[in-house]
Structures are given as structure tokens and as C-alpha cells.
Amino acid sequence: MELEDFLRQTQAEVQTEIGDRLGASGEAYPYPESVFAEVVMQHMSEIGMTFEPEVCHYSAKVGNANLRLSGFAVSDEADQLDLFVSIYDGVDTIQSIPDSETKTAAEQCLRFLAKCAEGKLAATMDESNDAYALALTIQECYANLDQIRVYVLTDRQAKAKNFKAREINGKTIKLEVMDIERLHRHWSEGKPRDELVVNFEEVSGGPLPCVYVPGQMTDYDYALTVIPGEALRFVYEKYGPRLLEANVRSFLSVTGKVNKGIRDTLRDDPERFMAYNNGIVIVADDAHIGRAADGGPGILWLKGMQIVNGGQTTASIYFTKKKSPDIDLRQVRVPAKLIILKSKDTIAEEALISDISRYANSQNSVKQSDLSANKPFHVEMEKLAMTTYCPDGVGRWFYERAAGSYNTMLSREGTTPAKLKKLKESIPPSRKITKTDLAKFLNAWNKRPDLVSLGAQKNFERFMDSLREDDQSSVPLPDVMAYKTMVAKAILFKKTQSLVRPMFPAFQGNVATYLVSLLADRLGERIDLDKIWLKQDISITLRSQLQTWADEVNETLHRTSGGKMISEWAKKPECWDAVRMGSYSPVMDGIFELR
């Protein structure tokens, strides 16, 4: 898809979302840039570039300084923070944005961060402001943050995709720009690997000596090499979690036994690191082989480099050096196995990466349930989506088993503008369900909003665990009836989400999730999901019921949070207990879906 087509598609998506969020009085959503920010942040989360994001609009003048924020994302361990600020113009032709404008936005977001870190902002804010809890959280946990990034999001095209890192209160802040061009690259690929080009002549002074085995009968080449510790630290500093396969979340903590051992070896016996460490496994989309200093083969550069096993080793090296600058990494060497991918089939390639990561990680207790595009359940869901038509006999839903497969389908089958238009009409983006989406929809209906609130990846892990019986045998595969029921639950969740979004300035995701769980708890056995499938929508009366309960769920979440940020409180089983036991308006008469 060309960049301008992609821009128009993105704007259409934003406008559709804005249309869906008209308030009860018919007013437009107050901040179109918040909708744009949400669309972009959610995509960045899906491809592993950030954590579970929250929309949080804040704009104020404190003293002479303008402060701005559009959203944020915090890691599960609260040791990494991403802040987002959006510049949205709604343009439908490619237009450039001056670096001065993106830099100004980054500065305004940096000032927000600095004021929070100094403890000066929360005191000036109204406690009802949704950024208040975030300001307090940053104030309290700033000293423990290991990584902070500021992203400027824009629908125009920027020349500079990042700016020089800044220091605030002893912390290094990375500044990046996610413009329409960079977004298009990620969207069309379904993965952020293309940006990762590592030149070892630059980062380690010369090609990495290697044993190189060309794959004659396989879809990959193979190499064994050794990476200097300082080079690995530098690459992680530059690319961060993007260096790790999107499905493998980095633990980013040095408290576990394995990571403590790595830290101790780096400090006490750096020259023995290679002897003690199992090494890392890397996949890459392309490699350039030259000559090493000894005349043998050497790896000059890698494109699309991803560490699929050894994320703990890599992050431990980086954070240990950051916390103890006196540690000398020049004596550290890390053994590495390198797989250079040659497959032209995106889905087959992603399945291969998934398998490499699963088997490479099988010696430790890291759960690989999120590396499951090729699990029978998901394969069957994909088949059912391809063969099950909506009641109109024309439209279908799309189950995205592998990242980017929806866009691959559009480009493969939409070979002419007319075919592409017809394809998008029958399978629009609004009818796409990803693996993590499905886990969210089903766990919310199964009355586990606390799990959904943990974030896409962790919730997905729990969902995959639930598909296995106690004796480790798999549950039966879905049939057409089960598929239609799951899609009905997806429709219900999506409609609930679109109702809730214009009602509250922040934490709409938590409210929507808890609202669906409350509905399932109070009325689940009476709701005829087949009626939702047949209508592909929910009735006006059910919408009214959901809106009434949404206000009451939101009030309960805030009242019981004890001052905690709602997104954090929502992760606790006690939060669900509090919401479930709350008092709510009676069920309305005439709800079409009730048996």
C-alpha cells in the first residue's frame, strides 16, 4: 500500500472512531488528536514497541512553560515509562512537518515529565484531572525508572525520526518521532524489524568473526559468532525492547537468580562471562558477510536483528552497566547463534521465529504461550473466519493469526483499486480480530477483567493457559457454532468500548472491560449471543443499559481505588470483587437480547 493511500485509510479510521464517540448531546469527541494518539499507541503496543497504553490528555501552562501529554504506558514492573504527545492535522495528502515543530512538542512533554519528577506538578493540579494520578506515580517511582522514552506522534512526515537524548534529574530520556511514514512501515510489515540495522564496524570496530553455514536446502542461513559485551550494551541502548522479538517480553529486572548471576559475573569475573553464559539466539532478515581481521568470514552488518532468546542476558548487561558504571565490559564476550531468514512467506517466517524462540527458551521457565500463531486453536479460528460468512452472506470477519496477515491479504488479493475497495467493504478493518483481541473479549466475558487489565500479552498468556486442561491435553477445537459465539462476544465488547469512550476522559479501556464483565455476571446466562451474531450489532435498549451501568462502574472504580491509578487498581482481583459487589440500577425492560 502506498504511503498516501495509507494516510487516507488512517484518517478514515480516526474519523470513524470520532463519529462513533459522539456524546449523548451529539457533540464531537473533544480531542481528535487523542483518537489519533490512541490508534497509533495501540498499534505500537501490538507490535511490542511499547506497553499497554492509556490515553491521557493534558495541556496546561505552568509558569512560563507549556506542558502537553496525549498518553502514557508503564511497564509491569513500573521501571519503564513511555510518554506520548500527538500533533494531529487531519491532512489527507502527504505533508512534511518541520523538525522544530516535533521538537517543540517533545520539549512540552519533557517539561511535563520534569515537573512531575520534581514533585511540583501534582500540587498544582485538580485531583479530578486524570493526569493527576500519573503525576503522582511519576513523582513516587522516578528514582526506580530504568528507561524513559518520549514519542511524538504525527500524521505528517518528519525528517528526523529521533532527537538527541536528554538528561532530567539523573535519567536519560530518549526522544523519538512516530510520523506517518514510520507508522506505515510498521503497519505494512506488521513488525518493527526493518528499522533495526546494526553495523558492527561502527559498534565494535570491525566485522564479527564467525563460522558461516549457507542454507542449501533450508529457508535460513546459519552462523556462530561472539559479540563484545560493550557492542551488545550499545545496541540495546539504541533500540531497547524493540531488539527483542515482539512476542517475548523482556523481564527488565536484575532481582531474579539468573539475572543476579549475570550481574555478579560481569562485576567479579568479566573475562569468564563467555564460559559461564549459554549465549543468545538472534534472527535477522539480512546479513552482509565480509572479512574479519584474521582473514576468515566476518559479519559486517545485520538488518532486522531480533534477539529471540537471551533477552535477560542482553538487558542485564545494559542495566548492570547503567547502575554500576565502573564495570568494564571490554573483557566481556557473549556467544551468539545467528539465523538469517530467507523465506518469502511472511506467515511461515513468523511461525519459524515463533518456533525458534519457543525451543531456544525451553530450558527455562519463561512461558511461551504467546508464541502461538501456529497452535491448533488459532489455525482452526483462521480457517473458520475464512469460511464463515456473516448473515448477509457477503461479509466476513478476519482472524489475524500472524502479525500483519490482514495487510498481506489486502495486498495479495486487492490487486486493483476496485478489488481492494470490494475487499475492504466485505472485510473492513473493524472486523479484524487479533489473537490478543480475542483473549481480551473472551476473558472479559468470562468475568476476569483483572486479567484483561494486566495488558495484552499477559492476558493472552493466561488465556492460552486456560485452553489447556489440568492433564495438559488440549480443549476441543472450536466449531462453527463456537466461532459465531466468540464473534458475538467480540461485537458486544467493541460496541461497549465505542459507547464508553466518549463518556470519560481517561481509563475508558478499564471501564469497558469491567462493564462487559459486570454484564456477563448479572445477565450472562440470559443473553442470547446468537441474536447479536444475526444482527451483527446490539440493540438500542442494551446500549442504554450499558451506558447507565458505565457511569456506575466508573464511579465504583474511582471510589474503591484508594488513590491508586485506575489502570493499576484494575489489575487486582480485589478490584473485580469490589465492582461485582457494587450497587447498580435495575435491569431495563425490553432488552431485545434477553431470553
Side-chain angles (χ1 to χ4, degrees):
M1 191 189 303
E2 292 303 317
L3 184 56
E4 197 144 292
D5 290 340
F6 171 75
L7 172 65
R8 291 196 188 103
Q9 180 186 312
T10 304
Q11 301 297 16
E13 186 179 348
V14 171
Q15 291 308 315
T16 301
E17 288 286 347
I18 290 171
D20 284 348
R21 299 177 195 199
L22 291 174
S25 60
E27 310 159 356
Y29 193 92
Y31 306 118
E33 68 266 26
S34 290
V35 180
F36 172 71
E38 185 176 354
V39 167
V40 178
M41 290 189 304
Q42 201 53 54
H43 180 71
M44 289 171 69
S45 172
E46 284 168 10
I47 59 175
M49 286 187 75
T50 188
F51 314 99
E52 195 68 13
E54 285 286 346
V55 172
C56 187
H57 181 89
Y58 180 76
S59 181
K61 191 160 188 170
V62 178
N64 294 322
N66 287 314
L67 278 55
R68 274 187 65 214
L69 180 74
S70 302
F72 65 92
V74 185
S75 66
D76 292 331
E77 292 80 14
D79 57 1
Q80 293 178 85
L81 172 69
D82 290 340
L83 298 178
F84 303 89
V85 58
S86 68
I87 305 172
Y88 179 68
D89 292 275
V91 293
D92 58 4
T93 56
I94 300 301
Q95 295 187 21
S96 60
I97 183 168
D99 289 347
S100 58
E101 201 171 328
T102 50
K103 203 166 188 176
T104 298
E107 291 286 347
Q108 290 171 343
C109 197
L110 275 172
R111 284 188 207 121
F112 172 86
L113 176 70
K115 295 281 185 194
C116 291
E118 292 161 9
K120 292 178 179 173
L121 190 59
T124 70
M125 295 169 78
D126 187 320
E127 288 189 24
S128 65
N129 191 306
D130 284 289
Y132 175 74
L134 174 64
L136 274 184
T137 302
I138 294 174
Q139 185 177 317
E140 289 163 10
C141 74
Y142 194 78
N144 300 320
L145 290 172
D146 287 323
Q147 176 178 276
I148 308 169
R149 296 177 297 190
V150 168
Y151 282 100
V152 179
L153 315 175
T154 175
D155 57 343
R156 285 187 275 164
Q157 190 172 24
K159 187 176 178 184
K161 303 294 193 262
N162 50 52
F163 298 114
K164 189 178 175 185
R166 295 281 297 276
E167 291 283 325
I168 292 179
N169 287 20
K171 303 283 183 187
T172 303
I173 323 296
K174 295 177 185 172
L175 306 179
E176 302 206 30
V177 179
M178 179 63 75
D179 67 342
I180 197 68
E181 181 185 30
R182 189 174 174 192
L183 186 63
H184 172 241
R185 218 161 38 225
H186 290 177
W187 217 290
S188 56
E189 290 294 326
K191 57 194 178 187
R193 294 210 301 266
D194 277 2
E195 293 187 350
L196 275 69
V197 178
V198 179
N199 184 328
F200 288 103
E201 287 195 296
E202 289 176 7
V203 300
S204 56
L208 301 179
C210 71
V211 175
Y212 193 84
V213 183
Q216 319 240 292
M217 308 289 289
T218 60
D219 49 4
Y220 63 88
D221 289 350
Y222 180 89
L224 285 174
T225 187
V226 172
I227 301 179
E230 179 55 36
L232 198 58
R233 184 209 65 78
F234 175 82
V235 172
Y236 186 85
E237 180 179 53
K238 184 172 182 182
Y239 293 114
R242 275 187 285 161
L243 193 63
L244 310 178
E245 166 62 21
N247 280 326
V248 184
R249 294 299 185 183
S250 51
F251 71 102
L252 302 179
S253 155
V254 288
T255 54
K257 286 182 182 175
V258 175
N259 310 319
K260 188 173 180 295
I262 290 172
R263 184 194 65 195
D264 293 346
T265 304
L266 290 171
R267 188 183 57 220
D268 304 329
D269 295 299
E271 67 286 347
R272 293 192 176 179
F273 191 88
M274 193 160 81
Y276 293 166
N277 190 269
N278 289 336
I280 63 177
V281 180
I282 295 169
V283 296
D285 293 320
D286 197 8
H288 190 64
I289 306 299
R291 290 283 156 205
D294 63 359
I299 299 164
L300 283 166
W301 53 256
L302 294 175
K303 181 183 178 189
M305 173 177 166
Q306 293 270 281
I307 295 171
V308 293
N309 176 240
Q312 297 200 4
T313 297
T314 306
S316 289
I317 288 172
Y318 172 76
F319 286 116
T320 300
K321 175 69 175 176
K322 189 163 185 178
K323 286 172 179 172
S324 307
D326 54 315
I327 284 177
D328 187 0
L329 294 180
R330 286 176 299 178
Q331 300 175 69
V332 173
R333 296 289 181 272
V334 183
K337 179 167 81 172
L338 172 63
I339 311 290
I340 298 118
L341 304 163
K342 298 195 299 183
S343 173
K344 302 294 179 203
D345 182 337
T346 307
I347 292 176
E349 182 183 279
E350 292 303 312
L352 174 62
I353 292 171
S354 167
D355 284 341
I356 292 167
S357 189
R358 184 168 69 252
Y359 293 123
N361 279 299
S362 61
Q363 79 276 15
N364 60 35
S365 60
V366 175
K367 281 203 183 297
Q368 293 303 316
S369 46
D370 52 353
L371 301 168
S372 43
N374 47 352
K375 286 277 195 299
F377 174 85
H378 300 295
V379 172
E380 194 61 30
M381 283 294 292
E382 184 182 54
K383 284 180 187 168
L384 287 164
M386 286 177 179
T387 55
T388 308
Y389 284 82
C390 294
D392 64 6
V394 178
R396 282 190 288 128
W397 283 74
F398 188 91
Y399 188 67
E400 192 167 65
R401 179 171 71 88
S405 58
Y406 178 78
N407 289 321
T408 303
M409 179 272 295
L410 289 181
S411 52
R412 189 176 60 235
E413 297 178 28
T415 48
T416 65
K419 281 184 180 176
L420 185 62
K421 183 170 183 280
K422 191 176 177 185
L423 201 57
K424 281 189 180 174
E425 283 170 357
S426 60
I427 316 174
S430 59
R431 284 208 202 120
K432 180 184 81 172
I433 300 176
T434 66
K435 297 192 298 295
T436 52
D437 283 341
L438 186 69
K440 175 169 65 177
F441 304 150
L442 298 187
N443 272 353
W445 181 261
N446 290 337
K447 296 177 270 194
R448 292 308 307 269
D450 50 319
L451 294 185
V452 177
S453 301
L454 290 173
Q457 295 297 329
K458 287 203 168 185
N459 176 59
F460 183 70
E461 270 188 43
R462 306 301 197 281
F463 172 70
M464 288 305 296
D465 287 344
S466 73
L467 293 183
R468 285 188 287 275
E469 305 278 13
D470 291 338
D471 62 2
Q472 291 300 299
S473 62
S474 295
V475 295
L477 292 178
D479 57 13
V480 173
M481 199 64 239
Y483 171 77
K484 289 179 178 179
T485 300
M486 284 189 264
V487 172
K489 291 171 185 175
I491 293 167
L492 179 61
F493 192 102
K494 282 171 168 270
K495 296 296 178 184
T496 302
Q497 208 168 30
S498 65
L499 285 171
V500 165
R501 276 171 173 157
M503 295 176 70
F504 311 107
F507 309 115
Q508 306 106 321
N510 299 116
V511 176
T513 299
Y514 270 80
L515 181 55
V516 169
S517 292
L518 182 72
L519 184 76
D521 188 60
R522 298 285 167 106
L523 298 174
E525 291 182 4
R526 293 179 59 199
I527 288 179
D528 187 344
L529 291 164
D530 196 42
K531 286 184 175 178
I532 295 177
W533 163 261
L534 289 170
K535 198 178 177 190
Q536 293 286 297
D537 201 350
I538 60 174
S539 65
I540 292 172
T541 326
L542 181 54
R543 285 169 190 257
S544 299
Q545 183 70 64
L546 287 166
Q547 283 177 313
T548 301
W549 280 355
D551 273 321
E552 294 164 349
V553 166
N554 181 59
E555 189 278 325
T556 305
L557 284 170
H558 280 83
R559 178 171 45 79
T560 59
S561 67
K564 293 192 190 82
M565 209 185 309
I566 299 302
S567 53
E568 290 305 305
W569 170 229
K571 295 174 183 177
K572 310 288 184 192
E574 298 82 15
C575 180
W576 170 230
D577 291 339
V579 171
R580 194 178 62 216
M581 302 302 288
S583 179
Y584 299 95
S585 301
V587 177
M588 295 176 179
D589 293 331
I591 294 178
F592 168 75
E593 290 83 356
L594 292 189
R595 290 191 180 92

